[in-house]
Amino acid sequence: MRTLNLTSQRQAVYDVVREAHDHPTAADVMNRLMERGYNLAYGTVYNSLRYLTDKELIRELKLGEAASRYDGRMDDHQHIICQVCGRVDEVMSEVPHDWIETVAHETGYNIAHAHVVFGGVCKECQSKRIK
């Protein structure tokens, strides 16, 4: 059993990430905390995000962007990122078992988990290109 030390600051950061549907960056989390009346130092927010990630309460997403994003959903799912605006959405389809077997065979790894990131253009950006 994990021992948790959820200070009020960590709880506030956790609440922001869990309630977000857009996979916020640390800067986004900071801004949302300010909107809620919190006045936390950047270091406190970053340390809280690291703590929550280490305790597996949230997931850090490194999607090839400069800044990590954070996901409050810990169930098994994938992500898709818009290559135009950077929007990140969740994909609930499972990674096909035959893909995992193929990768294991190619690499010799015993695969514990898979996370696939798809890239494309979201509906909003597609509609802007049409006009």
Side-chain angles (χ1 to χ4, degrees):
M1 184 172 170
R2 296 183 285 219
T3 303
L4 294 178
N5 181 14
L6 282 185
T7 62
S8 60
Q9 295 93 339
R10 288 176 181 161
Q11 184 66 54
V13 170
Y14 180 61
D15 291 343
V16 166
V17 174
R18 288 280 302 165
E19 294 166 12
H21 298 288
D22 61 346
H23 307 86
T25 64
D28 294 332
V29 172
M30 186 75 179
N31 291 337
R32 292 172 195 180
L33 287 167
M34 283 191 239
E35 289 170 2
R36 295 179 182 198
Y38 291 93
N39 188 18
L40 303 180
Y42 276 105
T44 301
V45 172
Y46 283 105
N47 290 337
S48 296
L49 289 167
R50 174 63 39 227
Y51 177 85
L52 295 168
T53 300
D54 289 346
K55 293 296 183 179
E56 298 180 348
L57 294 173
I58 64 173
R59 183 180 298 166
E60 181 179 13
L61 303 174
K62 296 183 182 191
L63 302 173
E65 303 173 314
S68 292
R69 292 177 174 254
Y70 295 89
D71 190 352
R73 289 190 67 169
M74 295 303 291
D75 57 340
D76 192 23
H77 65 281
Q78 316 314 310
H79 292 91
I80 187 165
I81 184 166
C82 178
Q83 296 168 313
V84 176
C85 70
R87 173 183 170 153
V88 177
D89 286 305
E90 292 167 337
V91 177
M92 301 314 293
S93 302
E94 291 184 27
V95 175
H97 187 69
D98 60 327
W99 285 13
I100 294 171
E101 287 179 352
T102 300
V103 171
H105 179 73
E106 284 180 17
T107 64
Y109 276 62
N110 181 5
I111 297 177
H113 63 87
H115 179 231
V116 177
V117 179
F118 297 92
V121 179
C122 70
K123 288 181 182 180
E124 289 79 11
C125 289
Q126 289 176 47
S127 67
K128 291 176 188 173
R129 287 183 169 182
I130 294 171
K131 293 179 182 179

